[in-house]
Amino acid sequence: VSINVIQYGLGPIGIETLKVAAQRSSIKLVGAIDIDPNKVGKDLGELAGLESLQGLRVTDSLAAVMARSKPDVALLTTSSRLAQALPQLDQLMEAGVNVVSSCEELLFPWDRQKELAERVDSLAQRHNVRVLGTGINPGFVLDELVVTMASVCSTVSKIEAKRILDAGKRRGPLQKKIGAGMSEAEFRDLASKNALGHVGMAESVAYVAAGLGWKVDSILETIDPVLCRKDTDSAVGKVSKGQVAGLRMTGVGKKGGAEVITLELQMYVGAEQPGDEIFVQGEPSLRTTIEGGIPGDIATAAKLISSIPRVLQGDPGLLKPLSLGFE
Amino acid sequence: VSINVIQYGLGPIGIETLKVAAQRSSIKLVGAIDIDPNKVGKDLGELAGLESLQGLRVTDSLAAVMARSKPDVALLTTSSRLAQALPQLDQLMEAGVNVVSSCEELLFPWDRQKELAERVDSLAQRHNVRVLGTGINPGFVLDELVVTMASVCSTVSKIEAKRILDAGKRRGPLQKKIGAGMSEAEFRDLASKNALGHVGMAESVAYVAAGLGWKVDSILETIDPVLCRKDTDSAVGKVSKGQVAGLRMTGVGKKGGAEVITLELQMYVGAEQPGDEIFVQGEPSLRTTIEGGIPGDIATAAKLISSIPRVLQGDPGLLKPLSLGFE
């Protein structure tokens, strides 16, 4: 059985996703969309550096794709923010196309953007499609995998999960996101304007709470710079002592005044012990570690592709985790 | 929403499962079945040592339970072998009751017991119910979690997973299963008659292959004794130097002559580095470890309970993993 897939968004994650899709014989790529005039009309094989994609041209309109194919699923990788991805998402749902998206806020918008979440959910139901926001972070390490580990516990009292990445080994665009090379003042200014930082900590907390079946009273995000302790050359540029090396963010969920969900992300140049760690305190308590941490970019692309079978079955709507029924 | 649940089988796993079920407010226990004359007629609260279950009496017939309630799900914990659990499974399906079972061979019988698997699948479909075999091992550590980790890889070339447990810290009945205290000859004799050992290694291999989308050419199980190196007192009794301390089993899947799936279970008195480890070789390669290993009994009970929402939705039949579409 071949699944007709379109790639919507040809930024770094979109290209990575295309490459993974091209390796799976169950997937047939039937279209690629981007609004960048430098990409529209280009051959997809050239753009992605993949012979097997030759002959397919980038278009800037879904209508053009729909005119010559019947896509089952769109991989939507245009924005981290739901409000920005929404027009494209609406288009796809109205065309009857299921959606798997790397949009960070789409992982679990039911808490911070309840109205938008309900709007997407009801539109998806009306058009009989399923919409899933996923990825690695958010989408897997600090949320889905946490709930998966909790599923083998009879009781859970607390969740602590931590992801530490050496930003010096990641692609260039990351620099802007983590503020590497900035002054502390500049970092704090941009952070206060939401112009910097990782999107999705609060969404991961809300996802974990929903997956466990917990009602949390509050969800809070924090962001702080990690300062560089010695001059370092890295893949995201030179960072000098005293400058910002990257960030430390947390997402915290409280119940009855107590921190019951604590998620932490450290992403900075020169991080010494990169890795992912999930601690579920309960019966039994389980500490799970992933050596070195899951590399975000390639794994996010893989996760989008792996999620395709899931959005092709079950009830229509904006997908959320099944609750484990803890309280 | 309250889910009506019956417990079928009141051995150690059944009692453990009852205890977990009693803690979830979403679950209403409406019946308990066992054929043991010493249990039939007994008060379930007394049997499980749980006040909240008082007033419910053990019966030996499903008909009696069906006469006074409408169960949504049965937790079937009567046997490791599918052939032995089959009469009860048939009864439940025919009564329109969904089933979550700890029956080890039910995790993935499509390889070694294809006809039985098809029979269960078609009967489940005919009666519009879902049947799931699950647990910790098999069911999670060496299969479901392996596929979960592989879902974030763009390619996978090899799977290696290993579970090491100190049998000296586990409940008594385990002694018989692992042969602790036997002579090597006695162990090998019983092992050759399938009268000893862990059930499910081959099923886990077949599950992983199906989950990845791999066609393996052969699946092989091995079992060997681990000999005791110094006299040890343990929860499963005294084991002397030279006697069997426990076992080492493997399940191996081969593709084109190469071992592509290697699962290993070590379970013996005095195991020094207990823990679970999953290695997915691919892009990226991921090494995941669970400190100390997931304790099997309590976690199996928790996993059965956690799986209840899953068997209440989706297409009817004998559930199997969605394929990730690797080749």
Side-chain angles (χ1 to χ4, degrees):
Chain A
V1 213
S2 192
I3 303 164
N4 287 346
V5 171
I6 57 179
Q7 176 60 46
Y8 202 130
L10 293 168
I13 293 287
I15 295 290
E16 204 68 65
T17 305
L18 263 183
K19 289 181 184 171
V20 178
Q23 292 169 356
R24 306 276 165 99
S25 64
S26 54
I27 293 175
K28 191 182 170 199
L29 225 33
V30 297
I33 303 172
D34 200 290
I35 51 163
D36 182 348
N38 293 319
K39 290 174 184 165
V40 177
K42 286 263 168 69
D43 185 275
L44 202 57
E46 263 172 58
L47 204 64
L50 276 181
E51 265 186 47
S52 64
L53 294 178
Q54 273 174 12
L56 210 58
R57 293 202 175 272
V58 179
T59 164
D60 60 358
S61 103
L62 177 61
V65 173
M66 298 300 295
R68 48 163 212 273
S69 64
K70 215 206 145 313
D72 301 303
V73 182
L75 302 163
L76 179 63
T77 58
T78 52
S79 173
S80 299
R81 302 291 183 185
L82 178 51
Q84 281 168 34
L86 205 58
Q88 300 133 24
L89 189 53
D90 281 354
Q91 261 191 343
L92 290 164
M93 291 190 286
E94 280 158 10
V97 181
N98 297 288
V99 178
V100 175
S101 178
S102 61
C103 171
E104 280 88 340
E105 292 184 344
L106 194 57
L107 170 78
F108 197 90
W110 303 90
D111 182 65
R112 295 218 292 190
Q113 303 184 78
K114 195 157 184 281
E115 276 176 35
L116 276 190
E118 282 166 357
R119 189 178 168 293
V120 173
D121 190 43
S122 68
L123 202 60
Q125 288 182 31
R126 195 175 327 145
H127 294 283
N128 197 30
V129 295
R130 282 146 232 97
V131 173
L132 176 70
T134 189
I136 292 303
N137 181 29
F140 190 71
V141 183
L142 299 182
D143 31 60
E144 189 183 303
L145 189 55
V146 171
V147 175
T148 298
M149 295 313 301
S151 76
V152 300
C153 300
S154 66
T155 60
V156 175
S157 53
K158 196 175 195 307
I159 296 290
E160 289 171 2
K162 190 191 279 193
R163 176 162 168 81
I164 303 178
L165 292 178
D166 181 358
K169 290 174 181 161
R170 298 279 301 274
R171 66 189 157 86
L174 195 65
Q175 185 195 352
K176 242 176 94 180
K177 176 172 158 176
I178 63 166
M182 292 181 184
S183 70
E184 186 176 346
E186 197 180 353
F187 179 99
R188 294 207 183 270
D189 178 53
L190 287 172
S192 72
K193 295 171 181 155
N194 274 330
L196 173 151
H198 170 77
V199 178
M201 296 303 288
E203 282 74 11
S204 288
V205 175
Y207 180 107
V208 169
L212 297 177
W214 282 355
K215 282 211 180 357
V216 290
D217 308 324
S218 68
I219 294 178
L220 207 80
E221 266 189 12
T222 69
I223 178 165
D224 287 288
V226 174
L227 299 182
C228 181
R229 286 194 276 182
K230 63 171 190 202
D231 294 6
T232 312
D233 258 324
S234 83
V236 297
K238 198 186 155 164
V239 183
S240 305
K241 189 178 164 179
Q243 286 182 331
V244 171
L247 54 75
R248 175 179 177 277
M249 293 184 70
T250 67
V252 173
K254 286 191 179 183
K255 210 167 60 160
E259 286 194 10
V260 289
I261 302 173
T262 307
L263 309 181
E264 179 177 343
L265 172 67
Q266 296 180 22
M267 217 172 184
Y268 61 94
V269 172
E272 272 169 16
Q273 293 192 298
D276 300 322
E277 183 174 306
I278 295 168
F279 180 60
V280 179
Q281 189 179 82
E283 181 55 39
S285 289
L286 296 175
R287 188 174 302 277
T288 305
T289 54
I290 303 169
E291 205 179 273
I294 302 178
D297 295 347
I298 176 70
T300 288
K303 185 73 167 81
L304 294 180
I305 300 299
S306 293
S307 303
I308 291 176
R310 230 185 106 193
V311 297
L312 291 176
Q313 60 168 35
D315 297 333
L318 172 57
L319 303 188
K320 45 180 162 181
L322 286 175
S323 166
L324 293 174
F326 294 116
E327 256 149 58
Chain B
V1 213
S2 191
I3 304 164
N4 287 345
V5 171
I6 57 179
Q7 175 61 44
Y8 202 131
L10 293 168
I13 292 287
I15 295 290
E16 204 68 66
T17 305
L18 264 184
K19 288 181 185 172
V20 178
Q23 292 169 357
R24 306 277 165 98
S25 64
S26 54
I27 293 175
K28 191 182 169 201
L29 225 33
V30 297
I33 304 172
D34 201 289
I35 51 162
D36 182 347
N38 294 318
K39 290 173 184 163
V40 177
K42 285 262 168 71
D43 185 274
L44 203 57
E46 263 171 58
L47 204 65
L50 275 181
E51 265 186 47
S52 64
L53 294 177
Q54 273 174 11
L56 209 59
R57 295 203 172 272
V58 180
T59 162
D60 60 357
S61 104
L62 177 60
V65 173
M66 299 301 294
R68 48 161 212 273
S69 65
K70 215 205 144 314
D72 302 303
V73 182
L75 302 163
L76 179 63
T77 58
T78 51
S79 172
S80 299
R81 302 291 183 184
L82 178 51
Q84 280 168 34
L86 204 57
Q88 300 133 24
L89 189 54
D90 281 355
Q91 260 191 343
L92 289 164
M93 290 189 288
E94 281 159 9
V97 181
N98 296 287
V99 178
V100 176
S101 177
S102 62
C103 171
E104 280 88 339
E105 292 184 345
L106 194 58
L107 170 78
F108 197 88
W110 302 91
D111 182 66
R112 296 218 291 190
Q113 303 184 79
K114 196 159 183 285
E115 276 177 35
L116 275 189
E118 282 167 356
R119 189 177 168 294
V120 172
D121 189 43
S122 67
L123 202 59
Q125 288 182 32
R126 196 176 325 144
H127 294 283
N128 196 32
V129 294
R130 283 146 232 96
V131 173
L132 176 69
T134 189
I136 292 302
N137 182 29
F140 189 71
V141 183
L142 300 181
D143 31 59
E144 190 183 300
L145 189 56
V146 171
V147 175
T148 298
M149 295 313 301
S151 76
V152 300
C153 300
S154 66
T155 60
V156 174
S157 53
K158 197 174 194 306
I159 296 289
E160 288 171 2
K162 190 191 279 193
R163 176 162 168 82
I164 303 178
L165 294 178
D166 181 357
K169 290 174 182 162
R170 297 281 299 273
R171 68 189 156 88
L174 195 66
Q175 183 194 356
K176 243 176 95 181
K177 176 171 157 176
I178 64 166
M182 291 181 186
S183 71
E184 186 176 347
E186 198 181 352
F187 179 100
R188 293 206 183 271
D189 178 52
L190 287 172
S192 71
K193 294 171 182 156
N194 275 329
L196 173 151
H198 169 78
V199 178
M201 297 303 287
E203 282 74 10
S204 288
V205 175
Y207 180 107
V208 169
L212 297 177
W214 281 357
K215 280 210 180 2
V216 290
D217 308 323
S218 68
I219 294 178
L220 206 79
E221 265 189 14
T222 68
I223 177 166
D224 288 288
V226 174
L227 299 182
C228 180
R229 286 194 275 183
K230 64 169 189 205
D231 294 6
T232 311
D233 258 324
S234 84
V236 297
K238 197 184 154 158
V239 183
S240 306
K241 190 177 165 180
Q243 286 183 331
V244 171
L247 53 74
R248 176 179 177 277
M249 293 184 70
T250 68
V252 173
K254 286 191 179 184
K255 209 166 62 160
E259 286 194 10
V260 289
I261 302 172
T262 308
L263 309 180
E264 180 177 342
L265 171 67
Q266 296 180 22
M267 218 172 183
Y268 61 94
V269 173
E272 272 168 16
Q273 294 193 297
D276 299 322
E277 183 174 308
I278 294 168
F279 180 59
V280 179
Q281 189 179 83
E283 181 55 38
S285 290
L286 296 175
R287 189 175 302 276
T288 306
T289 54
I290 303 170
E291 204 179 274
I294 302 178
D297 296 347
I298 176 70
T300 288
K303 185 75 166 82
L304 294 181
I305 300 299
S306 294
S307 302
I308 290 176
R310 228 184 106 193
V311 297
L312 291 176
Q313 60 168 36
D315 296 332
L318 172 57
L319 302 188
K320 45 181 163 181
L322 286 175
S323 165
L324 293 174
F326 294 116
E327 254 148 59

